[in-house]
Amino acid sequence: MSTTTEQLAGISATTLLRFATAGSVDDGKSTLVGRLLHDSKSVLTDQLEAVEHASRSRGQETPDLALLTDGLRAEREQGITIDVAYRYFATARRRFILADTPGHVQYTRNMVTGASTAELAVVLVDARNGVVEQTRRHAAVAALLRVPHVVLAVNKMDLVDYAEPVFAAIAEEFTAYAASLGVPEITAIPISALAGDNVVEPSANMDWYGGPTVLEHLETVPVSHDLTGCHARLPVQYVIRPQTAEHPDYRGYAGQIAAGTFRVGEQVTVLPAGRTSKIAGIDLLGESVDIAWAPQSVTLLLEDDIDISRGDLIVPSGDAPATTQDVEATVCHVADQPLTVGQRVLLKHTTRTVKAIVKEIPSRLTLDDLSQHPNPGHLVANDIGLVKVRTAEPLALDSYADSRRTGSFLLIDPADGTTLAAGMAGDSFATTAEAVHVADDEGWDF
């Protein structure tokens, strides 16, 4: 029996959950992930045997489940998470893609990577320490990246005698902070990742808690970020012109649909030039289809022979974003070198990369009280701030609130290709500050 378009879209939207874990150092993220994999029967026998062997060699009597995710040698030796560890597992109710992200401040850039595509973030807090600065930082990043669901996992409840007042105080503080950032949904769960309390199985030690376990919540949380319902966008990655005897006039525009749906016969506009045409055909995996949707990789054929190249954006004519050379966005600075006013950078948006200048840094967010530090002049590693950038060529940027794919961009060092900052267009915590005049340098006059 064939599967309809609607059925395929429904399957992709409801049965797969992408989520990320975050938290401060030693809050137990990797242990939680290991417990989740182990107790949900998602660990192969040879993997478990390898963990048991490694644990015994370190003098531990019981298996250290954190080793299931800490894959790098440096991670195992230091007992910390450095890189983002992706794990794929499934239960009878849902499939999961999990990103276990680092807790150290210097690896916040990796947390941004892991959470950028997540529909849910699990933020761990050590019940003995409560909400700390890094907890606030991860909540801010989750809010900044528009992660729709956040779970506060208050870990190590066994070390505070499973006391309900401890959990309640932490949950109240975190919920108030995250809500002030605009996080739409927050669920607090008391757990012990080491003992397994409320991870997969309900805890017998916390009869005062009547909510779901971590896995139960992951299996039942609604996944609302359906790319097929967003504004249709196709960044052109490659122009296909075989010029063979069999296909002498073939000219197709290939790329991955970033969002929305395209249909044969639909009128489209090519940005930033603004030329219009109609979709004459759609090629998918070597076959012609009448409809295609995100995140499929397709080739569009247009009725008119117009000038289109890599980096152009194909959109429905009735739903085209405005083009601009003045980009205002919130950025998370991820490089060791600072980002300064007047700095020349490259801005990469989907498949398009253009020259740009940082014209202004109006404010930097202070995580402790969410206040704004006006006109800081620069951003350093892990800073979150408002940035205004002038580009050499027009860009068709959506608001990040409308589209996480086409509303995001990277700022890159043109000298060595280092990623400097991850940006979210038209969406920020900051307020506009006094403008800063920047003189255009030779060769970057725009």
Side-chain angles (χ1 to χ4, degrees), residues 73-233:
R73 181 177 180 181
E75 295 177 322
R76 295 193 300 267
E77 291 176 349
Q78 298 177 52
I80 63 173
T81 301
I82 296 174
D83 200 8
V84 180
Y86 290 96
R87 292 294 179 266
Y88 307 84
F89 69 103
T91 66
R93 304 174 74 175
R94 179 168 278 176
R95 294 177 294 120
F96 302 95
I97 299 178
L98 181 157
D100 182 31
T101 67
H104 283 68
V105 172
Q106 63 265 39
Y107 302 129
T108 299
R109 69 195 77 180
N110 293 347
M111 190 265 176
V112 173
T113 300
S116 62
T117 58
E119 291 131 346
L120 181 146
V122 179
V123 179
L124 269 76
V125 171
D126 189 325
R128 299 168 300 175
N129 302 328
V131 176
V132 297
E133 182 182 354
Q134 190 69 343
T135 310
R136 296 187 185 95
R137 186 182 303 277
H138 288 156
V141 170
L144 185 67
L145 294 173
R146 291 279 176 171
V147 179
H149 307 281
V150 171
V151 173
L152 171 67
V154 183
N155 193 24
K156 304 187 182 182
M157 288 296 296
D158 53 315
L159 301 182
V160 294
D161 297 325
Y162 299 102
E164 181 180 7
V166 174
F167 167 73
I170 295 173
E172 181 180 1
E173 180 183 356
F174 180 86
T175 299
Y177 181 84
S180 68
L181 293 170
V183 176
E185 180 182 290
I186 305 153
T187 302
I189 304 175
I191 68 170
S192 170
L194 189 63
D197 293 285
N198 284 338
V199 178
V200 173
E201 300 295 335
S203 172
N205 299 306
M206 290 178 279
D207 54 5
W208 45 265
Y209 173 74
T213 64
V214 173
L215 181 61
E216 182 182 356
H217 183 70
L218 294 176
E219 288 180 325
T220 58
V221 66
V223 179
S224 57
H225 190 69
D226 181 7
L227 289 175
T228 60
C230 299
H231 305 287
R233 305 287 187 259

Side-chain angles (χ1 to χ4, degrees), residues 370-443:
L370 298 182
S371 63
Q372 302 293 336
H373 178 75
N375 297 318
H378 67 277
L379 298 176
V380 298
N382 303 311
D383 275 349
I384 296 172
L386 183 65
V387 170
K388 294 184 178 181
V389 176
R390 174 77 174 175
T391 61
E393 303 169 30
L395 293 175
L397 278 160
D398 286 297
S399 167
Y400 187 79
D402 295 330
S403 174
R404 295 170 80 182
R405 287 286 304 276
T406 55
S408 60
F409 61 86
L410 296 176
L411 296 182
I412 299 170
D413 187 337
D416 59 10
T418 300
T419 298
L420 301 173
M424 300 80 182
D427 186 49
S428 72
F429 302 123
T431 56
T432 304
E434 230 177 350
V436 178
H437 175 72
V438 181
D440 294 329
D441 288 3
E442 184 179 353

Side-chain angles (χ1 to χ4, degrees), residues 121-381:
V122 179
V123 179
L124 269 76
V125 171
D126 189 325
R128 299 168 300 175
N129 302 328
V131 176
V132 297
E133 182 182 354
Q134 190 69 343
T135 310
R136 296 187 185 95
R137 186 182 303 277
H138 288 156
V141 170
L144 185 67
L145 294 173
R146 291 279 176 171
V147 179
H149 307 281
V150 171
V151 173
L152 171 67
V154 183
N155 193 24
K156 304 187 182 182
M157 288 296 296
D158 53 315
L159 301 182
V160 294
D161 297 325
Y162 299 102
E164 181 180 7
V166 174
F167 167 73
I170 295 173
E172 181 180 1
E173 180 183 356
F174 180 86
T175 299
Y177 181 84
S180 68
L181 293 170
V183 176
E185 180 182 290
I186 305 153
T187 302
I189 304 175
I191 68 170
S192 170
L194 189 63
D197 293 285
N198 284 338
V199 178
V200 173
E201 300 295 335
S203 172
N205 299 306
M206 290 178 279
D207 54 5
W208 45 265
Y209 173 74
T213 64
V214 173
L215 181 61
E216 182 182 356
H217 183 70
L218 294 176
E219 288 180 325
T220 58
V221 66
V223 179
S224 57
H225 190 69
D226 181 7
L227 289 175
T228 60
C230 299
H231 305 287
R233 305 287 187 259
L234 175 68
V236 176
Q237 184 172 355
Y238 187 69
V239 178
I240 300 176
R241 297 191 65 188
Q243 296 180 319
T244 61
E246 185 179 358
H247 302 286
D249 300 320
Y250 188 96
R251 186 183 181 94
Y253 309 102
Q256 183 183 45
I257 300 177
T261 303
F262 288 93
R263 293 175 172 84
V264 172
E266 182 177 14
Q267 183 165 333
V268 294
T269 298
V270 181
L271 298 175
R275 301 182 182 90
T276 61
S277 184
K278 282 188 178 180
I279 299 178
I282 302 175
D283 289 346
L284 173 66
L285 299 176
E287 296 184 0
S288 296
V289 297
D290 293 327
I291 184 173
W293 58 88
Q296 292 176 331
S297 295
V298 299
T299 301
L300 297 187
L301 290 82
L302 303 184
E303 290 184 355
D304 303 288
D305 187 11
I306 57 180
D307 183 18
I308 301 175
S309 59
R310 175 183 172 87
D312 287 344
L313 188 69
I314 300 177
V315 304
S317 294
D319 186 24
T323 59
T324 182
Q325 288 181 258
D326 295 298
V327 178
E328 181 173 345
T330 299
V331 303
C332 181
H333 191 62
V334 299
D336 293 328
Q337 63 203 80
L339 182 72
T340 59
V341 172
Q343 186 170 348
R344 295 177 292 181
V345 297
L346 297 176
L347 190 153
K348 186 179 188 305
H349 173 244
T350 62
T351 58
R352 188 176 184 84
T353 302
V354 299
K355 291 180 179 181
I357 288 180
V358 179
K359 302 289 285 188
E360 189 178 338
I361 303 179
S363 63
R364 183 183 70 239
L365 180 68
T366 302
L367 292 172
D368 288 339
D369 57 4
L370 298 182
S371 63
Q372 302 293 336
H373 178 75
N375 297 318
H378 67 277
L379 298 176
V380 298

